[in-house]
Amino acid sequence: MGSVIGYIGDKQAQPILLNCLAKLEYRGCDSCGIAVLGGSIELYKDAVRVKELAKVAPQLGGTMGIGHTRLATHGEPSQVNAHPHLDCHGTIAVVHNGIINNFRELKRQLISEGHNFVSETDTEVIPHLIEKYYRGNLEEAVEAAVRDVEGSYAIVVLRAGEPRLVAARKDSPLIIGIGDRENFIASDVPAILDYTDRVIYLEDGDVGVVTPDSIKIRRDGIEVDREEHKILWSVEEAQKAGYEHFMLKEIHEQPKVIRDTLGEYTQVTEPVVDLAVMRDRGLESMLMLACGTSYHAALIGKYIVEELLRTPVRVEIASEFSYYGQPLAGTAAIVITQSGETADALKAIKRLKGVECRVVAITNVVGSTASRIADQTIYTRAGPEISVAATKSFTAQLMVLYWLAMSYSKADARRLASLLMGLRQLPSKVQQVLDSEDIILECAKYLSRYEDVFFIGRGISFPVALEGALKLKETSYIHAEGYAAGELKHGPFALLGGDTPVIAIVARDNTYEAMLTDIKEVKARGSPVMALAEEGDEAIGELADLVITVPRVDAMFSPVVNVVALQLLAYYTAKQRGCPIDSPRNLAKSVTVE
Ligand code: G6P
């Protein structure tokens, strides 16, 4: 798993490849490498990150090349397992993102035919297959090679003596960037934004043949047209814009993201067609599927939809559903995925499609695989999210869920009018949270000394607790667990004590009194308590050791202000502990393998 890049043009390839790779590191990187074609293919790779590789790599002269950042799936991170991989004669170099399920059979067969392998990777079968099928035409050899492959791939191929790059994709994202006397191939748009804003999205089964001044896309050997898209994100938007980390920048973008996402939809007078059809049929239940932070958005969505639509919502982890889930007739399915490329989410969509469920995808990435295979896509307008830890995409997902639920709400007109007003005020409420960074920083300093933390909440604040714990563990490496507050006494009480702080998320809803009791019980067992509470809540002020105050909002919107506060808490705690905030160890932004 990882990211691929290709460059062909009139400039030296090496610095461009390394620059593009650095922009793709957020997708996960434990090793990386480049290959450049001069007289012959010259290659440099190692189990280091891009910055280190750039420091030590020799000058590889040539104006076309390929590159890769790897997050290990087959074989440990090492120089030999890093990409690019070569054929027997070092004349074909390949970078690959994805997983080849049948690589063991292919490898066995190729070895029996005399091919030599050096790595433990699945990828290495590809250059050998291309070598096997090469009869003087590179694209035909690539087409023949990928016909043998079962699994997912985005590949870029370089062959000595051939003035072109060949790319192919199946179930892994791949784009072509169009330049002036130069062209690019990449796993994702931010990689190439320094050079061009014109892209073509390859589709599954496409093979791209790219020279400095031509791009041809073939399917089954026949040339096809693919539309050119203009990327509206500025380079600056994809950069840190003066913030120390992408995560902090993305947290601060949330008032704008809320406005952009709501602006997109509140002006739409037509309801979302598929859901409208389902409602007219008498929508009986709704199924939401997602992974990671998007799963937590879905869990919050359950509370919102159940209250406003009075329709039961089932929320499933996509990786579980793809094996065991039984979609019920009359169920509307919503799959939430920021990247639109998470393998588990895509597999769940395919399972739903297999039983003829109609699927609505909520995604942030235009042209992503989820948007292509779902029946309908609702885009969040969060802009590119670079930090591995999801922040603004989560808030944008919640906005879509609020808007959807309010569009089909069975609540009375007064309640709806009040919710609509609350929704409009959210950007300024979130800004208030961002303005209280100083207090959160103090709480982070306190928290950074501990190694185990519980987050607790009830009702709509329970998934907030889950998300708070996820943010903290992934960024600061503190062991954190999110718990339904009422469940603490069924086991975790055994772990409470002076070394284990508890962070209580207290919403002003019907769970409030119970949460006060929970806090008292936790304190009685010696754990320090940090509470997130509404401004003016004196009772909490007296009970908790530390309080992060959030602005007053309707309890339905409390997850937004609370999660933003918890994102900042995680960020500053991680910073305090000196963690690599934007790309935590072992994690990837976009998990494109199962
Ligand atoms: C990875 C990311 C998480 C993200 C999850 C689901 O684990 O590190 O931040 O929440 O994937 O991603 P998706 O793109 O499907 O929302």
Side-chain angles (χ1 to χ4, degrees), residues 174-191:
L174 198 60
I175 59 152
I176 297 180
I178 308 164
D180 181 17
R181 277 175 296 152
E182 60 183 0
N183 287 310
F184 304 81
I185 300 165
S187 292
D188 204 354
V189 171

Side-chain angles (χ1 to χ4, degrees), residues 231 379 409 457 486 503 515:
I231 299 299
Y379 287 110
S409 173
I503 300 178
M515 279 302 292

Side-chain angles (χ1 to χ4, degrees), residues 208-391:
V209 184
V210 181
T211 71
D213 38 36
S214 75
I215 295 165
K216 289 196 180 113
I217 318 280
R218 292 156 57 104
R219 276 181 89 80
D220 305 319
I222 297 159
E223 207 173 313
V224 289
D225 282 337
R226 289 276 171 264
E227 210 183 321
E228 180 185 323
H229 296 261
K230 195 167 167 60
I231 299 299
L232 300 174
W233 312 338
S234 62
V235 177
E236 197 206 351
E237 263 182 297
Q239 305 292 330
K240 287 186 202 155
Y243 287 95
E244 193 175 345
H245 296 96
F246 282 113
M247 184 178 176
L248 190 60
K249 172 184 171 248
E250 288 159 6
I251 291 172
H252 276 265
E253 283 172 346
Q254 290 176 106
K256 176 175 184 293
V257 165
I258 294 173
R259 271 188 221 104
D260 287 351
T261 302
L262 288 179
E264 174 101 9
Y265 297 111
T266 44
Q267 282 154 26
V268 178
T269 45
E270 286 290 300
V272 179
V273 182
D274 284 333
L275 290 185
V277 169
M278 288 167 184
R279 179 193 53 180
D280 294 344
R281 278 202 223 130
L283 181 66
E284 284 157 20
S285 71
M286 200 179 272
L287 172 63
M288 293 194 199
L289 299 164
C291 312
T293 289
S294 299
Y295 171 69
H296 297 153
L299 286 175
I300 293 168
K302 173 182 166 74
Y303 289 89
I304 302 168
V305 172
E306 288 190 344
E307 183 183 329
L308 292 180
L309 269 76
R310 303 200 189 102
T311 291
V313 178
R314 192 174 133 207
V315 183
E316 301 265 358
I317 294 170
S319 57
E320 287 297 304
F321 180 85
S322 16
Y323 286 93
Y324 305 108
Q326 296 301 333
L328 302 171
T331 295
I334 297 186
V335 177
I336 307 179
T337 164
Q338 182 282 131
S339 60
E341 301 294 349
T342 302
D344 292 325
L346 298 181
K347 192 163 178 182
I349 297 180
K350 286 174 189 162
R351 184 175 174 99
L352 287 164
K353 302 279 295 170
V355 291
E356 291 178 5
C357 256
R358 285 186 71 78
V359 179
V360 177
I362 298 178
T363 184
N364 194 39
V365 180
V366 177
S368 59
T369 307
S371 73
R372 287 154 195 261
I373 62 177
D375 297 292
Q376 188 169 18
T377 303
I378 305 175
Y379 287 110
T380 48
R381 299 298 180 196
E385 189 176 66
I386 308 297
S387 171
V388 164
T391 54

Side-chain angles (χ1 to χ4, degrees), residues 27 32 143 157 382 452 516 520:
R27 294 166 57 91
C32 57
E143 280 162 352
V157 184
D452 299 286
L516 293 188
K520 284 179 198 154

